[in-house]
Amino acid sequence: MDWKIKSLEEYALAYQESRSNPELYWGKVADTFKWNKKWESVLSGSIEDANIKWFDGAELNITENCLDRHLEERGDKVALIYEPNDPNEPALEYTYKQLHTAVCKTANMLKAQGVEKGDRVCLYMSMVPELMISVLACARIGAIHSVVFGGFSAHALAGRIEDCDCKILITNDAGHRGEKIIHLKDIADKALDDLDNSPVQKVIVHKRVGNDIEMKEGRDLWWHDLYKEASSDYPSETMQAEDPLFILYTSGSTGKPKGVLHTTAGYMVWAAYTFGNVFQMNEEDRYWCTADIGWITGHTYLTYGPLLNGVTTTMFEGIPTFPNPGRFWEVVDKHKITHFYTAPTAVRALMACDPSFVTNNNLDSLKVLGSVGEPINAEAWHWYNKSIGKEKCPIVDTWWQTETGGILISSLAGVTEGKPCFATLPLPGVFPALMDAEGKVIEERESEGNLCITRPWPGMLRSIWGDHERFKQTYLSAYPGSYFTGDGCKRDADGLYRITGRVDDVLNVSGHRIGTAEVENAIGQHPDVIESAIVGFPHDIKGQGIYAYVIASENHSPEEMREEILKVITEEIGPIAKPDKIQIVPGLPKTRSGKIMRRILRKIAAKEFDNFGDTSTLLDPSIVDKIKDGAL
Ligand code: PRX
């Protein structure tokens, strides 16, 4: 079966088939992959019992499907283009054969350091090709990769290493990010020093920058020393369909980040199927996803999805504004990118710059544009469409989450209609429902509610690492029988979906998920903080900004206190969680039962100073005016 959907009719047919006979449909799709052994059942278990299994009984290795499968037909085709931070440094290209060799060598290198199937390996790296290679090498061995974004702090890294009990840590000496150097190895050293019982036996250090670092005798090893010794022959490990493939931490509405667990076969089928159908690439096209591999987009749509489809994928080390805000568009021209996938926050930031940064480039290679990570506002959508896509490139607004493994709602480029600011229609296999305040399915077509998915799909997370109960509680208990996304959503008269944003205490700042409780916990680590409350507010570039209300003891001036708070958040989480505004307040609006009335704080943060609603249940209603008077 060729599962590529080529017309609206084929979409309707596939959607219908995936509804009436999901096992038949997904069995046919899965048949197109390379398996060591076929499945006994396509789908088993239920959302109620939190025991979903896809392709149970099957055996495979995902890297055979990403790499080996292509060697005969397209071994000399470029698999990976690597564009370094500095535009004067030459770009690199890896063919499928070369990437295969690099992955096999790295797998041997890890194996020689004692990595076995099922072990966890933490990757704390900048955007170097060796990060993608390490991800695939883990998968080849059957080790579970846990990538930690290079912008997280030592404390955040330590927490993740401890939670998933990693045996090996791979890092860089340091990483380039625009003009900055991020001292990854120093941060990793601190993380390991901070752990009472570090599970990490070996640290493998890839040299990128060449800065001075400390190599700890008996623990730290240079990548290049190990790599040159390693054989390029590594027959892949045979994995069970439901063996874990990776853990990726993400923020939730409670304090501690959750280790989202994805397994092998279902994730593979979903990554490949959604990539192929949403982006609609041809053999000679060139794709670029600007995400960092430290996030789910970098897993599914920079690494696995494109490679599973045998296309050319591009990895970028730098940032959109270095050495100038024309960098993205220069790279598009340089590598003749046809399919470009980025986040609305980047679009908004670049839209605000001098138009010549765009018009200096011709961008005529582009065929398809994508958006991911947050709702795209109308202004950004139209600019992206006009200035970048020259009104000839379909825009796919792809809605999904770390937990969903891949895209659930999106148009299919050039196949189904897009609509500005709408993710549009669910992919085959995805059955959304909007829920009302009573937890009932809203039947009317034109409506608004909490977005749930009523049936399992292959790419769905299977658990939270080490905490299956939390998995059930977080996703499967609010609406029994359905997966709850945490997002609010509108449906128009044509049945198209528009995601409006989180309905829980999770912020989306520049497309990154940040838990308000996580930031509050971090602020609370400062000895002079009595209490704090974090809310989001509309931000022109970031989508949402972070607003912190803090009650502090009087040991510091408000200016000093703000500095201290930024420092403690950078240490506890990382710079991405730094509030845009910190207001020192005499108190917080609490009800008699001690609950903070966040809606008031949100309104003040958004500079909406009227209509606070009923404040009579507040313990001290006068606090509202005091906070309002000091609003930033
Ligand atoms: O609120 C939704 C928003 O991002 C959240 C998921 O964040 P994360 O797990 O970090 O994954 C980001 C990359 C998939 C969602 O709950 N979101 C993601 N894509 C969109 C979106 N909101 C609106 N439109 C989108 N296309």
Side-chain angles (χ1 to χ4, degrees):
M1 175 206 192
D2 179 6
W3 44 257
K4 275 269 189 80
I5 296 168
K6 290 284 166 212
S7 65
L8 196 56
E9 296 69 42
E10 280 182 23
Y11 164 74
L13 209 64
Y15 196 75
Q16 189 45 40
E17 239 189 286
S18 74
R19 185 205 305 272
S20 57
N21 199 339
E23 307 217 3
L24 181 70
Y25 185 74
W26 293 109
K28 284 194 292 186
V29 172
D31 260 332
T32 62
F33 294 81
K34 187 168 185 282
W35 303 89
N36 300 357
K37 184 172 161 253
K38 286 278 170 79
W39 48 91
E40 276 141 30
S41 70
V42 172
L43 170 62
S44 59
S46 68
I47 291 185
E48 280 84 354
D49 297 329
N51 62 349
I52 298 295
K53 288 187 173 139
W54 283 91
F55 313 109
D56 198 27
E59 293 178 353
L60 74 156
N61 188 287
I62 192 169
T63 69
E64 297 249 349
N65 284 279
C66 290
L67 300 170
D68 306 53
R69 187 164 59 124
H70 303 307
L71 293 183
E72 210 169 294
E73 214 182 307
R74 39 176 94 90
D76 295 320
K77 173 174 174 173
V78 175
L80 172 65
I81 299 171
Y82 180 68
E83 174 67 23
N85 182 58
D86 178 352
N88 297 316
E89 197 180 318
L92 302 176
E93 289 187 348
Y94 289 73
T95 63
Y96 270 92
K97 266 189 205 150
Q98 289 165 332
L99 190 59
H100 178 262
T101 303
V103 169
C104 289
K105 279 178 79 101
T106 307
N108 273 316
M109 164 177 125
L110 294 178
K111 193 90 187 177
Q113 296 310 315
V115 177
E116 301 284 345
K117 185 171 172 171
D119 285 345
R120 271 78 61 209
V121 175
C122 179
L123 313 179
Y124 183 65
M125 301 174 80
S126 63
M127 285 287 279
V128 289
E130 287 73 12
L131 170 54
M132 184 186 284
I133 292 165
S134 300
V135 161
L136 296 165
C138 288
R140 197 151 183 98
I141 298 179
I144 304 166
H145 54 79
S146 167
V147 184
V148 177
F149 173 61
F152 280 117
S153 69
H155 180 83
L157 173 63
R160 285 156 172 79
I161 288 174
E162 192 172 38
D163 187 78
C164 70
D165 201 20
C166 294
K167 194 169 182 180
I168 301 271
L169 170 68
I170 309 180
T171 189
N172 300 115
D173 53 355
H176 293 288
R177 238 183 113 66
E179 274 162 3
K180 287 196 199 135
I181 302 273
I182 315 292
H183 291 89
L184 295 168
K185 173 63 164 64
D186 293 350
I187 301 171
D189 283 343
K190 183 161 183 338
L192 298 183
D193 287 348
D194 286 353
L195 287 169
D196 289 335
N197 277 312
S198 165
V200 172
Q201 295 167 8
K202 294 280 189 271
V203 178
I204 300 176
V205 187
H206 172 263
K207 190 186 262 186
R208 172 62 181 121
V209 172
N211 53 314
D212 279 340
I213 54 165
E214 213 177 291
M215 293 293 277
K216 194 168 170 181
E217 187 75 36
R219 187 195 72 182
D220 300 352
L221 302 155
W222 282 109
W223 174 289
H224 52 260
D225 289 339
L226 305 176
Y227 190 79
K228 65 173 183 262
E229 303 291 320
S231 149
S232 57
D233 182 30
Y234 192 108
S236 65
E237 217 63 48
T238 295
M239 306 304 290
Q240 301 295 315
E242 285 294 339
D243 277 343
L245 176 64
F246 67 85
I247 300 165
L248 187 58
Y249 287 86
T250 190
S251 294
S253 43
T254 54
K256 201 170 153 243
K258 301 175 290 227
V260 168
L261 180 72
H262 284 287
T263 58
T264 306
Y267 174 82
M268 173 182 79
V269 169
W270 197 245
Y273 178 88
T274 54
F275 180 86
N277 279 319
V278 170
F279 290 100
Q280 298 281 330
M281 287 183 67
N282 292 323
E283 192 69 51
E284 69 286 357
D285 288 340
R286 289 163 159 241
Y287 167 86
W288 178 21
C289 163
T290 66
D292 191 292
I293 295 183
W295 309 111
I296 189 71
T297 310
H299 283 56
T300 309
Y301 297 114
L302 203 169
T303 306
Y304 287 114
L307 296 177
L308 286 163
N309 279 273
V311 306
T312 301
T313 183
T314 306
M315 180 171 179
F316 175 45
E317 183 183 34
I319 56 170
T321 48
F322 177 80
N324 63 58
R327 187 67 191 280
F328 270 7
W329 322 125
E330 283 162 22
V331 174
V332 166
D333 274 7
K334 177 175 175 184
H335 296 298
K336 301 270 168 288
I337 299 298
T338 56
H339 291 63
F340 178 72
Y341 192 31
T342 198
T345 187
V347 174
R348 287 191 296 264
L350 299 178
M351 182 172 93
C353 299
D354 193 292
S356 65
F357 286 116
V358 178
T359 53
N360 286 343
N361 306 285
N362 72 39
L363 303 179
D364 59 3
S365 55
L366 287 172
K367 295 184 190 169
V368 171
L369 301 176
S371 171
V372 59
E374 46 176 324
I376 183 163
N377 51 308
E379 204 188 347
W381 194 98
H382 289 292
W383 183 83
Y384 200 26
N385 183 42
K386 271 209 185 95
S387 301
I388 307 304
K390 314 273 168 69
E391 294 180 312
K392 67 175 172 52
C393 302
I395 296 180
V396 288
D397 177 356
T398 61
W399 172 80
W400 59 296
Q401 311 178 295
T402 305
E403 293 87 343
T404 67
I407 297 165
L408 296 195
I409 305 183
S410 170
S411 53
L412 313 181
V415 171
T416 62
E417 281 285 318
K419 175 171 176 180
C421 312
F422 277 71
T424 73
L425 293 172
L427 266 64
V430 177
F431 300 95
L434 300 185
M435 304 293 189
D436 66 15
E438 273 80 55
K440 288 209 197 67
V441 176
I442 305 171
E443 300 293 347
E444 298 96 290
R445 190 166 255 201
E446 202 173 348
S447 48
E448 179 167 9
N450 285 352
L451 178 63
C452 286
I453 311 294
T454 59
R455 297 195 196 183
W457 65 99
M460 161 178 205
L461 82 163
R462 301 294 194 270
S463 193
I464 298 293
W465 180 259
D467 200 345
H468 199 65
E469 200 43 47
R470 191 171 173 204
F471 163 63
K472 285 199 243 178
Q473 281 304 322
T474 311
Y475 305 105
L476 312 179
S477 66
Y479 302 95
S482 287
Y483 165 85
F484 176 45
T485 64
D487 278 325
C489 182
K490 285 185 177 164
R491 188 166 50 210
D492 75 3
D494 299 319
L496 305 181
Y497 290 86
R498 173 189 187 143
I499 288 44
T500 50
R502 304 286 306 192
V503 294
D504 53 8
D505 290 325
V506 174
L507 306 182
N508 192 328
V509 180
S510 302
H512 301 319
R513 255 162 85 166
I514 304 205
T516 52
E518 209 179 326
V519 184
E520 287 162 8
N521 287 350
I523 296 180
Q525 297 302 312
H526 194 286
D528 295 323
V529 166
I530 296 163
E531 198 175 2
S532 70
I534 296 291
V535 297
F537 70 97
H539 187 289
D540 285 349
I541 305 286
K542 298 177 174 181
Q544 265 188 316
I546 305 178
Y547 197 118
Y549 296 90
V550 180
I551 312 175
S553 65
E554 284 171 4
N555 295 343
H556 298 280
S557 69
E559 288 70 39
E560 269 171 10
M561 204 56 225
R562 284 192 194 105
E563 287 297 310
E564 295 275 313
I565 289 168
L566 292 177
K567 211 167 109 206
V568 75
I569 292 176
T570 307
E571 277 166 15
E572 292 287 312
I573 306 173
I576 53 170
K578 285 204 287 198
D580 299 272
K581 296 181 179 179
I582 301 171
Q583 184 182 348
I584 309 296
V585 291
L588 291 167
K590 283 194 179 173
T591 60
R592 287 193 188 85
S593 59
K595 242 182 123 211
I596 298 173
M597 234 188 232
R598 284 173 190 272
R599 65 176 168 80
I600 293 180
L601 296 178
R602 279 191 212 107
K603 289 204 96 171
I604 294 176
K607 296 197 174 358
E608 292 168 17
F609 297 130
D610 45 8
N611 285 331
F612 285 121
D614 182 10
T615 54
S616 64
T617 57
L618 287 179
L619 200 57
D620 171 15
S622 75
I623 196 70
V624 176
D625 278 338
K626 289 182 194 146
I627 297 176
K628 198 175 85 180
D629 291 343
L632 301 170

